[in-house]
Amino acid sequence: MQLKGIPASAGVAWGRALQIPASSPQRDTRTIAPPHVAAELNRFDAAVDQSGLALAFIQQSLLAEGRMEEAEIIEIQLFLLRDRELVGKARDKISRLRYSSQTALEEAMAEVLHALRLLDPASFRERALDIEDVVHRIIRVLRGEKGVLEGIEGVESLVLICDNLSPSEAVLLNPQTIAGVAVVRGSATSHFAIIARSIGIPAVVGIGQSLQDIRDGQLVLLNGTSGTVTVDPAEGLLEEFEQTQSEAYVLQSGVPLRMPLRTMREGRPLLMSNISSVSEAVTAQSRGADGVGLFRTEFLFLGRDDFPSEDEQFETYRAIISAFDAETPIVIRTMDVGGDKPLALLRMEEEDNPFLGNRGMRISLKRPDLLRAQLRALLRASAYGNIKLLFPMISTLGEWRRTKAVVEETKAALARSGIAFNRNVETGIMIEVPSAAMIADRLAQEADFFSIGTNDLIQYTMAASRNSPSLEELHDPLQPAVLRLIHRVIRSAHDGNIKVSMCGEMAGEMAAFPLLLGMGLDAFSVSNDALSSVGRQLSLQSERWDKYDLRQAAEAVLNLDDATDVRQYVESRFPEIRKATIIPDS
Ligand code: PEP
Ligand code: MG
């Protein structure tokens, strides 16, 4: 069966259909007893405030990502929330007519929509969608219900089928899980279409009610360029699609193809995000990261006149946790200042070579007051989610033992005060100094996990400052010396039964990809703008490449002469990586 609609966002996608029921909240016809009217007004105001906060939060993260057009769409909704017409009318109905908040809002919406239809029939449809979106958001808050997209995830890529997707929901679409969207209503200029185009999710709109006949789980091939949706496509069509998929990663339109995640298997490496703020955590979650592989907390300390208090830090860590499910791993690194991130507040003495001076844990161990405050905040936050603590610039076993001793002392102090925290919180080491890589077998006996920081590991191994562009050749992550160290670290971690991730830029380097897979890296942690490209490669290539080949290649390159030889070897053995470029998300 093929359905025709309006092309709204170019690109081809296929996946299993998932019907999203139109949200039509049950009516609430209660009348409020006079003594309870004031409380109902408070409940209404609180729901409006909460909706405003949620929208502002979404808007902030869109702005932080430079998604200006989408942020403006959310601004319209924020404006509606502040608008006396809608909210004022609803309040009036609660206080004068003793309507429940929900009924009052629905009645107010009906009146506003009626007036709008008369005043401005041309733009009525689109503005009506914004108004309905805002009202449904407030009603969901009043009823304690989830958003329509919450909880949608799967190992297979999905094609969402819906009556209409509101702008504030559309901005949360996760391209890692959602391959495409087919919509009953809408036009190519609707907010939904604009957002689908900017996220790069293929979409067809205005298909009409026949879409409702598609059952959950049916295979769907959606072509957002031609505006067609084919249900249960013939074998040939799918093959043609697969072919296109492996031959070109970018369509002529510049819209990346959505790679079906159906190829993802149990045991594949995790794809994590490197973040430095709460809004980046929200973005990471919306882009489908398996968690946070590195939160650089030093950005909480830099550029201010005072140290952030324990409570302030605690609130930030908790906000990051709350962007994800409680089980999602969130690796938080303690303050890593020094080197190229000097902290004026510390008034450290001038150093000839800051990168080889006081940095990371070297500073924190000398300032136990700061370390304790940060650990207290982190441990308190650990009661709310799956936080793991990561410590930067560990060079010796002694440093690691002293670090762990401070963690244990802090835990004991919290326990004495009856403050909740996760007693089994994991503690891990950044492997970014060659000495740590050389003793990784010993460190693995005393740590819960490793994270390889290649940005520093490479500069220290090659004696080539990471800030010197003219030393590019020495910065190449495919230098055999670097690969040997990484191989050693991963093997030591696995011999010691602990997991190892990589959070340096090398984790997003395509030519290193087969080698890191072959060495058995457990997690790749990359910046948000590389998440979807690396994720696509991870799902596509970890299925395609043979495990034995990967392992053999990872061993073979250790004995090559230089980085150029390694690159040639990798490209001839895994030709797919030549086409696989990282396409940063805008
Ligand atoms: C690294 O060194 O690779 C790392 C991730 O830490 P940073 O870049 O913050 O030094
Ligand atoms: Mg580092």
Side-chain angles (χ1 to χ4, degrees):
M1 170 170 75
Q2 188 172 71
L3 307 173
K4 188 92 186 87
I6 304 165
S9 174
V12 184
W14 75 272
R16 302 265 171 204
L18 181 73
Q19 288 274 1
I20 305 291
S23 72
S24 49
Q26 277 180 341
R27 291 204 64 91
D28 174 4
T29 48
R30 286 174 305 136
T31 308
I32 308 297
H36 299 137
V37 166
E40 185 67 9
L41 274 172
N42 284 341
R43 195 169 84 87
F44 175 78
D45 289 341
V48 172
D49 285 350
Q50 197 177 325
S51 306
L53 274 177
L55 285 171
F57 200 53
I58 294 172
Q59 192 191 36
Q60 281 300 317
S61 40
L62 293 172
L63 286 172
E65 287 173 51
R67 292 163 67 181
M68 300 304 172
E69 202 175 9
E70 292 158 275
E72 266 172 40
I73 293 172
I74 300 298
E75 179 59 37
I76 297 173
Q77 304 215 340
L78 279 164
F79 172 78
L80 285 169
L81 268 183
R82 294 187 287 261
D83 182 19
R84 279 190 47 79
E85 265 302 282
L86 182 68
V87 172
K89 265 192 167 62
R91 283 192 105 254
D92 187 49
K93 288 178 195 302
I94 301 171
S95 49
R96 261 188 333 103
L97 305 174
R98 294 193 283 114
Y99 283 179
S100 71
S101 300
Q102 181 179 333
T103 312
L105 252 180
E106 284 166 344
E107 297 269 323
M109 172 170 80
E111 285 172 22
V112 170
L113 290 181
H114 180 68
L116 187 66
R117 191 192 293 270
L118 295 178
L119 268 172
D120 191 1
S123 64
F124 170 75
R125 264 178 58 188
E126 268 161 38
R127 291 185 60 190
L129 286 178
D130 281 321
I131 295 172
E132 283 172 15
D133 187 11
V134 166
V135 166
H136 287 154
R137 175 176 290 278
I138 304 173
I139 292 177
R140 273 204 310 274
V141 174
L142 285 165
R143 300 176 67 91
E145 288 169 1
K146 287 185 170 180
V148 291
L149 292 180
E150 272 176 59
I152 290 186
E153 53 190 41
V155 284
E156 298 198 301
S157 54
L158 299 171
V159 173
L160 295 188
I161 315 278
C162 46
D163 182 59
N164 171 53
L165 205 57
S166 68
S168 68
E169 283 156 355
V171 291
L172 301 177
L173 282 174
N174 176 358
Q176 292 288 321
T177 318
I178 311 299
V181 185
V183 186
V184 174
R185 299 197 273 161
S187 68
T189 56
S190 66
H191 284 155
F192 161 72
I194 294 170
I195 292 166
R197 284 196 288 273
S198 77
I199 309 176
I201 291 187
V204 182
V205 299
I207 301 171
Q209 293 303 330
S210 44
L211 259 188
Q212 310 291 10
D213 299 336
I214 301 177
R215 292 185 312 281
D216 281 353
Q218 275 187 296
L219 261 186
V220 172
L221 181 61
L222 178 145
N223 188 330
T225 313
S226 63
T228 53
V229 173
T230 312
V231 187
D232 289 332
E235 283 285 307
L237 258 183
L238 280 187
E239 266 164 28
E240 206 177 293
F241 171 69
E242 296 261 17
Q243 184 78 13
T244 336
Q245 175 177 282
S246 57
E247 279 171 4
Y249 292 97
V250 180
L251 283 178
Q252 314 88 307
S253 62
V255 178
L257 278 166
R258 299 283 122 205
M259 296 303 173
L261 299 189
R262 73 194 161 86
T263 48
M264 285 203 175
R265 278 186 175 167
E266 269 294 292
R268 75 173 169 92
L270 294 179
L271 176 63
M272 316 282 279
S273 163
N274 292 345
I275 61 166
S276 47
S277 67
V278 177
S279 67
E280 285 178 26
V282 175
T283 307
Q285 192 278 341
S286 71
R287 292 193 181 168
D290 292 317
V292 172
L294 171 68
F295 171 33
R296 291 180 162 101
T297 61
E298 53 274 16
F299 290 100
L300 305 178
F301 293 76
L302 296 170
R304 46 186 291 166
D305 304 330
D306 54 353
F307 289 108
S309 68
E310 176 188 323
D311 282 345
E312 186 182 337
Q313 291 188 57
F314 165 71
E315 290 304 339
T316 305
Y317 304 144
R318 217 171 68 155
I320 286 182
I321 295 170
S322 62
F324 295 89
D325 291 342
E327 308 76 47
T328 305
I330 315 267
V331 177
I332 305 190
R333 179 176 78 181
T334 57
M335 178 182 83
D336 180 24
V337 292
D340 58 349
K341 290 176 278 191
L343 184 58
L345 273 173
L346 280 175
R347 291 200 203 87
M348 306 278 300
E349 58 193 51
E350 287 248 326
E351 293 174 314
D352 283 347
N353 193 340
F355 270 128
L356 299 183
N358 281 296
R359 261 196 86 181
M361 286 315 292
R362 298 176 186 179
I363 291 182
S364 296
L365 287 170
K366 288 185 183 129
R367 285 296 303 262
D369 53 328
L370 295 180
L371 178 59
R372 279 204 191 95
Q374 181 163 34
L375 286 174
R376 280 179 66 90
L378 284 166
L379 286 165
R380 281 168 58 197
S382 72
Y384 297 87
N386 186 10
I387 281 188
K388 297 169 195 279
L389 310 182
L390 179 63
F391 297 88
M393 283 292 289
I394 294 286
S395 320
T396 66
L397 263 171
E399 277 174 356
W400 179 235
R401 288 178 185 157
R402 272 183 279 145
T403 301
K404 289 233 314 196
V406 185
V407 175
E408 290 310 316
E409 279 161 33
T410 315
K411 280 183 175 176
L414 287 176
R416 277 196 302 279
S417 316
I419 297 173
F421 64 95
N422 172 12
R423 283 164 199 269
N424 300 318
V425 67
E426 289 184 17
T427 50
I429 301 176
M430 282 287 287
I431 304 286
E432 52 186 346
V433 181
S435 64
M438 294 306 292
I439 56 165
D441 54 334
R442 301 291 308 280
L443 291 170
Q445 302 301 317
E446 304 187 21
D448 297 316
F449 66 96
F450 287 159
S451 183
I452 306 177
T454 50
N455 306 339
D456 281 313
L457 186 62
I458 294 173
Q459 77 160 345
Y460 293 133
T461 304
M462 305 304 297
S465 162
R466 59 195 269 183
N467 294 340
S468 297
S470 62
L471 300 177
E472 201 181 344
E473 194 187 326
L474 295 172
H475 295 153
D476 194 327
L478 299 188
Q479 286 288 355
V482 173
L483 295 173
R484 282 187 183 206
L485 279 183
I486 291 169
H487 186 259
R488 181 187 188 100
V489 171
I490 298 177
R491 205 187 44 216
S492 302
H494 290 170
D495 286 349
N497 254 330
I498 64 171
K499 300 257 189 221
V500 53
S501 78
M502 178 175 285
C503 60
E505 294 300 303
M506 181 179 176
E509 165 77 42
M510 254 15 279
F513 211 61
L515 304 178
L516 297 173
L517 287 173
M519 291 180 196
L521 188 70
D522 298 298
F524 291 72
S525 191
V526 299
S527 57
N528 279 339
D529 62 359
L531 268 179
S532 51
S533 289
V534 175
R536 267 196 296 285
Q537 294 309 321
L538 205 54
S539 54
L540 192 67
Q541 311 300 14
S542 44
E543 168 82 355
R544 167 180 295 170
W545 291 331
D546 180 74
K547 286 220 162 38
Y548 175 77
D549 271 358
L550 290 169
R551 272 202 296 270
Q552 210 191 36
E555 294 280 342
V557 292
L558 304 179
N559 292 316
L560 295 180
D561 290 356
D562 56 28
T564 314
D565 287 355
V566 174
R567 202 170 297 276
Q568 273 169 5
Y569 177 91
V570 173
E571 286 181 358
S572 66
R573 195 150 179 181
F574 305 98
E576 298 83 2
I577 62 159
R578 278 204 221 126
K579 297 186 219 137
T581 41
I582 302 288
I583 311 155
D585 292 327
S586 55

